[in-house]
Amino acid sequence: AGDSADLVVPAGWPGVDGFDVVGPGAAVPEGVEPTGPASFLAARIRAGVPAMGAELTPDTIPAEVGQWVIDASVDFTKGCFTGQELVARIDSRGGNVPRRLRGLVVAGSGSVPHRGDPVVIDGAEVGHVTSAAPDPVGGGALALALVRRAVEPPAEAEVAGRPATVVELPITG
């Protein structure tokens, strides 16, 4: 039996049927296969889940990382909170932000793109990679990137000298 710090809850990620299992005595639910750090990272990227220090920085506007993040983490009836005016103003204006979190499907073999690698479309830098991992399903790599709002997925791009496609989140297929 675990102690009160043990926790097993649904992950709550878009497109993911999984659990967060926290604590030394927390039991993995029956029929669920535990995963390691590499698989966890690939699943996080595929689901489009932003991480602190990667997609979520002091410069990130909540609406940039997706409406589901706003729905899951912002309570518009709570009262005052830091950043409330900006979040409410963007929400009331349809979520129009200068950049958006998008998925990248990077083709071919080779090294995984690095955080900060530019996303280039038609010779112009339109954003940068925030997280990346090998794609355990399709080969190549998966990445998250904050890109200019003018980029409408699917869009052909280049990342770290390799062809890539900017896609909606969660990444399917």
Side-chain angles (χ1 to χ4, degrees):
D3 65 30
S4 62
D6 296 336
L7 180 66
V8 178
V9 295
W13 294 359
V16 173
D17 292 325
F19 294 86
D20 287 328
V21 180
V22 181
V28 175
E30 190 173 317
V32 174
E33 197 63 35
T35 186
S39 295
F40 177 84
L41 177 59
R44 180 181 73 76
I45 291 169
R46 187 172 289 282
V49 175
M52 292 300 292
E55 293 76 32
L56 302 172
T57 70
D59 297 326
T60 307
I61 299 170
E64 293 176 328
V65 292
Q67 185 61 45
W68 81 269
V69 174
I70 300 267
D71 294 343
S73 60
V74 177
D75 182 352
F76 288 100
T77 64
K78 174 188 175 286
C80 296
F81 57 87
T82 302
Q84 176 186 11
E85 290 178 19
L86 175 63
V87 171
R89 185 171 59 244
I90 290 171
D91 183 66
S92 70
R93 294 180 182 171
N96 227 358
V97 290
R99 58 190 187 156
R100 297 195 183 279
L101 185 64
R102 300 291 190 199
L104 292 172
V105 178
V106 183
S109 60
S111 64
V112 171
H114 295 94
R115 184 168 192 252
D117 280 350
V119 177
V120 177
I121 296 178
D122 295 329
E125 186 175 322
V126 297
H128 65 278
V129 171
T130 55
S131 295
D135 181 359
V137 175
L142 299 173
L144 293 175
L146 286 163
V147 298
R148 292 184 193 154
R149 73 173 169 216
V151 176
E152 286 295 324
E156 297 307 313
E158 185 177 296
V159 176
R162 294 169 51 195
T165 304
V166 177
V167 296
E168 293 280 355
L169 294 170
I171 300 172
T172 58

